[in-house]
């Protein structure tokens, strides 16, 4: 009887096990089918974002009202993709090995894109339909700033959504991703990064522009047009100075002067620089107007420029703005070609090369060059004030420049400066935080030449010893900096003497000579440094950061490298290097890397 009982129980248990196993298999098949179908549908919706986003960006730049319809349609796709990848079954399967990271990546991209587009960009675009941005177009030299009120909150919300999307996508672990999914995540990060930079600049502009344009009383601004052909840490020498006046939205150009003429009036340092700055840069930033952006901190350079300009001219300014010829090329894309005083035409395609290279062949006399720079800058400014081009086109141009750290702004008004502090326009030294280790990689011309036009930096970051995500472990971070010269082989004889400096400062003609300053992440310890040319470096501490200084003299076509390894015990997953903007707009001034088993990011 007992045997029969246990036999029945065994058979019953066997049946239950079979049914349980069968049920589990059916459930797995159902989940796989469910995930497969929903994943395929989500991919279709996300592909619409990939293919249509560039066209919509162009449409929004030209006419926001025409872009709203397309944005609404595209937001339906991002919402559908988010809904398809956020149900409970998807969430459960996303916790499993191998397939889980793939699903998590897809859901992160979908949720981030939906938040950015549907909840951020679309409300901003809808707020511009009443012509808010069009009202910013100068009419008879005056801008109506009251229209900014209607887009202030939507712009701030869109900027926050863009930053959230960028943060989420940066924390996606690319290592386990298969096929083209990793590339799709990288492309999404690039898109979100550009959106975050542009929207942050727009949000800041809506808050500071009314005051800057004299809404509450007249203002004066010093505009420094940097010349990247003679490179400085934040771009180039201050080649031209423009004095602008604003009053109740009216903008006027009061005067232009060359950096050379202003420097000639300085007999000694206009102020005593802090000891840590002098340890790296000496007193040069306070002795030469052209060197105002040699220190890579515009919160110091702005007040220094104001004081220097006041001592030289007697004019007191309320703020300092720095731009470069690459930014001018972006503005010209919005305004269209401009006829210069010498009868030639400058446009978006030739602006950088004309200002940074061709002018020295056209006008050998430096005095004539300075006059050309001043008159040309004034002509482009006049085109802007006359209201040429669309308002969104002009804002997009400035936003792109700000994102690339080519537009810098310091305000003497404490409340405005506080708003700028978190923006790339503040031009502050990189700050390392709990999530990101940040290097600063800066260059300064060392020959008094204009050979920096041919300087091509390539920066790479590589993590090692990353361990488990979110856990503090000992890890190393390697920064590699390659600097190359693209100058013609016969540069010593074919280029104008003013470009090569003709050996005036001890550097042979044709050589591209630079001094590099590498700012290490705060809290990271230097492990090793290697220079390909066998030279040595000096070390100093500036604002709590270790700074390594080295030199490179490049023959045409030559490349020299420096490799720096630092280490820390940290859970920070990301690294970033902020690099001096060059004359080449194709070279991004920011490179990033994420701490994974294999993580290398390259700036080319």
């Amino acid at each position: 009887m007992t045997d029969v009982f246990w036999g029945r129980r065994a058979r019953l248990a066997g049946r239950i096990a079979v049914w349980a196993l069968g049920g589990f298999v059916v459930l797995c098949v159902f989940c796989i089918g469910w995930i497969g179908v929903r994943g395929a549908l989500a991919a279709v919706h996300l592909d619409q974002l990939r293919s249509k986003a560039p066209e919509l960006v162009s449409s929004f730049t030209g006419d926001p009202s025409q872009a709203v319809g397309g944005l609404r349609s595209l937001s339906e796709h991002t919402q559908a993709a988010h809904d398809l990848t956020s149900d409970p079954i998807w969430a459960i399967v996303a916790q499993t090995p191998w397939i889980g990271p793939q699903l998590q990546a897809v859901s992160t991209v979908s949720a981030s894109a939906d938040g950015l587009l549907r909840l951020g960009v679309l409300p901003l675009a809808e707020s511009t339909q009443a012509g808010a941005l069009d009202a910013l177009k100068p009419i008879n030299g005056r801008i109506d700033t009251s229209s900014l009120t209607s887009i202030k909150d939507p712009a701030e919300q869109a900027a926050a959504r863009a930053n959230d999307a960028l943060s989420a996508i940066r924390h996606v672990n690319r290592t386990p991703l298969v096929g083209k999914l990793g590339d799709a995540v990288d492309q999404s990060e690039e898109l979100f990064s550009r959106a975050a930079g542009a929207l942050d600049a727009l949000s800041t502009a809506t808050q500071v522009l009314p005051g800057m344009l004299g809404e509450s009383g007249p203002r004066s601004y010093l505009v420094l047009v940097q010349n990247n052909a003679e490179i400085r840490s934040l771009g180039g020498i201050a080649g031209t100075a423009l004095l602008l006046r604003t009053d109740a939205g009216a903008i006027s150009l009061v005067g232009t002067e060359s950096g050379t003429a202003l420097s000639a009036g300085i007999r000694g340092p206009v102020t005593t620089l802090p000891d840590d700055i002098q340890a790296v840069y000496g007193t040069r930033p306070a002795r030469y107007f052209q060197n105002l952006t040699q220190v890579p901190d515009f919160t110091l350079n702005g007040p220094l420029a104001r004081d220097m300009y006041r001592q030289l001219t007697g004019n007191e300014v309320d703020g300092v703005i720095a731009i470069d010829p690459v930014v001018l090329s972006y503005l010209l894309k919005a305004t269209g070609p401009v006829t210069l005083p010498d009868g030639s035409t400058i446009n978006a395609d030739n602006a950088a090369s004309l200002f940074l290279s061709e002018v020295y062949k056209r006008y050998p006399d430096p005095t004539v060059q300075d006059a050309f720079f001043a008159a040309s800058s004034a002509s482009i400014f006049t085109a802007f004030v006359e209201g040429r081009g669309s308002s969104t086109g002009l804002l997009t141009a400035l936003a792109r420049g700000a994102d690339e750290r080519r537009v810098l702004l310091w305000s003497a008004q404490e409340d405005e400066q506080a708003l700028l502090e978190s923006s790339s326009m503040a031009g502050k030294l990189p700050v390392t935080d709990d999530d990101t280790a940040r290097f600063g990689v800066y260059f300064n011309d060392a020959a008094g030449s204009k050979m920096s036009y041919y300087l091509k930096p390539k920066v790479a970051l590589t993590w090692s010893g990353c361990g488990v995500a979110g856990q503090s472990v000992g890890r190393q971070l390697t920064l590699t900096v390659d600097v190359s010269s693209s100058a013609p082989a016969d540069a010593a004889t074919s280029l104008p003497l003013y470009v090569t400096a003709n050996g005036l400062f001890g550097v042979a003609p044709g050589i591209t000579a630079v001094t590099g300053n590498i700012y290490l992440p705060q809290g990271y310890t230097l492990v090793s440094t290697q220079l390909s040319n066998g030279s040595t470096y000096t070390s100093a501490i500036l604002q709590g950061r270790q700074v390594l200084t080295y030199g490179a003299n490049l023959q045409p076509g030559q490349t020299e490298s420096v490799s720096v390894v630092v280490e820390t015990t940290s859970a920070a997953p990301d690294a970033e290097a902020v690099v001096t903007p060059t004359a080449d707009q194709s070279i991004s001034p920011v490179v990033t890397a994420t701490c994974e088993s294999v993580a290398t990011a390259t700036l080319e």
Side-chain angles (χ1 to χ4, degrees):
M1 183 72 177
T2 302
D3 292 342
V4 172
F5 173 75
W6 286 109
R8 289 175 178 172
R9 292 199 62 176
R11 287 193 295 275
L12 178 60
R15 292 192 188 100
I16 292 174
V18 169
W19 279 105
L21 178 61
F24 178 72
V25 170
V26 171
L27 179 61
C28 288
V29 171
F30 172 76
C31 288
I32 292 172
W34 179 272
I35 294 297
V37 170
R38 293 175 74 85
L41 292 173
V44 172
H45 290 296
L46 290 175
D47 189 60
Q48 292 293 310
L49 175 66
R50 180 193 61 79
S51 62
K52 293 184 178 180
E55 177 185 349
L56 281 174
V57 169
S58 298
S59 177
F60 184 83
T61 300
D63 187 348
S65 62
Q66 293 185 5
V68 170
L71 287 171
R72 285 175 180 160
S73 176
L74 196 56
S75 69
E76 293 174 0
H77 288 289
T78 60
Q79 183 175 14
H82 184 201
D83 291 342
L84 287 165
T85 59
S86 59
D87 65 277
I89 294 177
W90 188 286
I92 292 172
V93 180
Q95 303 305 313
T96 61
W98 188 79
I99 193 174
Q102 322 301 319
L103 301 185
Q104 290 175 6
V106 173
S107 60
T108 298
V109 171
S110 301
S112 300
D114 187 44
L116 170 59
L117 186 63
R118 183 171 59 88
L119 303 178
V121 176
L122 180 57
L124 174 60
E126 289 174 338
S127 72
T128 67
Q129 284 191 288
L133 292 182
D134 287 338
L136 290 175
K137 186 174 181 178
I139 299 177
N140 297 324
R142 185 181 298 274
I143 294 176
D144 177 13
T145 60
S146 62
S147 59
L148 286 169
T149 303
S150 63
I151 65 171
K152 178 181 176 181
D153 290 341
E156 186 175 359
Q157 177 182 327
R161 292 286 181 180
N163 286 323
D164 289 344
L166 181 59
S167 177
I169 207 73
R170 281 181 171 171
H171 286 81
V172 173
N173 188 355
R174 271 72 154 179
T175 301
L177 303 185
V178 298
K180 296 182 178 180
L181 184 55
D183 293 336
V185 173
D186 289 340
Q187 292 170 5
S188 298
E189 180 177 348
E190 182 180 355
L191 176 63
F192 295 166
S193 179
R194 286 193 173 276
L199 292 171
D200 179 65
L202 177 60
S203 177
T204 302
T206 62
Q207 299 176 73
V208 302
L209 269 181
M212 289 184 62
L213 290 170
E215 184 179 66
S216 302
R219 296 275 190 95
S220 296
Y221 290 92
L222 174 64
V223 179
L224 307 177
V225 183
Q226 299 190 82
N227 185 338
N228 313 82
E230 187 172 344
I231 205 163
R232 292 293 183 268
S233 296
L234 293 182
I237 60 169
T240 302
L242 308 178
L243 180 60
L244 304 184
R245 290 267 168 79
T246 64
D247 187 7
I251 310 173
S252 58
L253 175 61
V254 178
T256 62
E257 296 184 75
S258 74
T260 302
L262 290 170
S263 285
I266 302 174
R267 296 293 176 263
V270 298
T271 188
T272 301
L273 297 173
D275 291 341
D276 57 349
I277 290 178
Q278 291 193 48
V280 180
Y281 301 101
T283 61
R284 293 183 297 276
R287 287 192 293 121
Y288 301 99
F289 192 86
Q290 294 102 320
N291 284 345
L292 279 170
T293 54
Q294 188 171 20
V295 181
D297 184 358
F298 205 68
T299 62
L300 178 141
N301 303 335
L304 179 60
R306 175 196 58 183
D307 294 345
M308 187 179 292
Y309 192 68
R310 180 181 61 238
Q311 291 185 34
L312 293 170
T313 67
N315 292 311
E316 183 76 51
V317 297
D318 298 287
V320 181
I321 303 167
I323 58 176
D324 67 10
V326 175
V327 174
L328 294 179
S329 74
Y330 298 160
L331 290 172
L332 285 165
K333 187 174 182 179
T335 64
V338 171
T339 301
L340 301 179
D342 66 355
S344 62
T345 299
I346 188 170
N347 55 47
D349 295 327
N350 69 5
S353 60
L354 177 59
F355 275 119
L356 302 175
S357 178
E358 294 298 323
V359 65
Y360 303 114
K361 301 176 183 177
R362 185 182 300 181
Y363 303 114
D365 185 346
T367 303
V368 179
Q369 294 166 11
D370 289 340
F372 173 83
F373 289 135
S376 299
S377 300
S379 296
I380 297 173
F381 169 79
T382 300
F384 165 74
V385 172
E386 288 177 350
R388 300 188 203 176
S390 68
S391 297
T392 49
L394 293 168
L395 287 174
T396 299
L398 292 172
R400 181 180 178 183
D403 187 41
E404 295 176 0
R405 288 170 162 75
R406 298 180 185 276
V407 176
L408 305 173
L409 173 60
W410 172 81
S411 175
Q413 307 296 318
E414 292 184 2
D415 56 338
E416 293 176 358
Q417 184 60 25
L419 291 170
L420 293 167
E421 286 290 316
S422 61
S423 167
S424 61
M425 290 185 292
K428 299 174 66 176
L429 284 172
V431 176
T432 293
D433 53 35
D434 292 339
D435 293 323
T436 307
R438 291 185 173 89
F439 283 93
V441 181
Y442 304 108
F443 305 105
N444 285 278
D445 171 80
S449 72
K450 299 299 182 288
M451 293 295 293
S452 301
Y453 179 74
Y454 302 100
L455 183 68
K456 304 294 181 182
K458 179 181 178 182
V459 177
L461 288 169
T462 306
W463 282 103
S464 63
C466 293
V468 179
Q471 294 184 3
S472 294
V473 296
R475 59 184 70 178
Q476 292 189 340
L477 176 59
T478 301
L479 169 78
T480 304
V481 181
D482 297 336
V483 286
S484 306
S485 170
S486 65
D490 60 351
T493 56
S494 65
L495 295 179
L497 298 181
Y498 190 76
V499 172
T500 66
N502 198 32
L504 184 61
F505 295 95
V507 177
I511 300 293
T512 301
V514 294
T515 297
N517 301 116
I518 297 176
Y519 286 66
L520 304 188
Q522 299 147 293
Y524 283 64
T525 302
L526 179 64
V527 175
S528 64
T529 302
Q530 184 176 355
L531 287 80
S532 64
N533 60 12
S535 64
T536 59
Y537 66 89
T538 61
S539 178
I541 302 296
L542 195 155
Q543 294 186 19
R545 300 162 176 82
Q546 186 173 1
V547 184
L548 309 181
T549 301
Y550 67 98
N553 288 352
L554 305 169
Q555 297 279 355
Q558 182 182 1
T559 298
E560 291 187 1
S561 303
V562 58
S563 176
V564 176
V565 181
V566 297
E567 66 180 3
T568 186
T569 300
S570 168
D574 300 319
E576 183 177 275
V578 177
V579 187
T580 296
T582 70
D584 188 344
Q585 68 185 65
S586 69
I587 301 178
S588 172
V590 178
V591 58
T592 62
T594 299
C595 197
E596 301 167 358
S597 57
V598 177
T600 302
T602 301
L603 171 73
E604 298 184 0

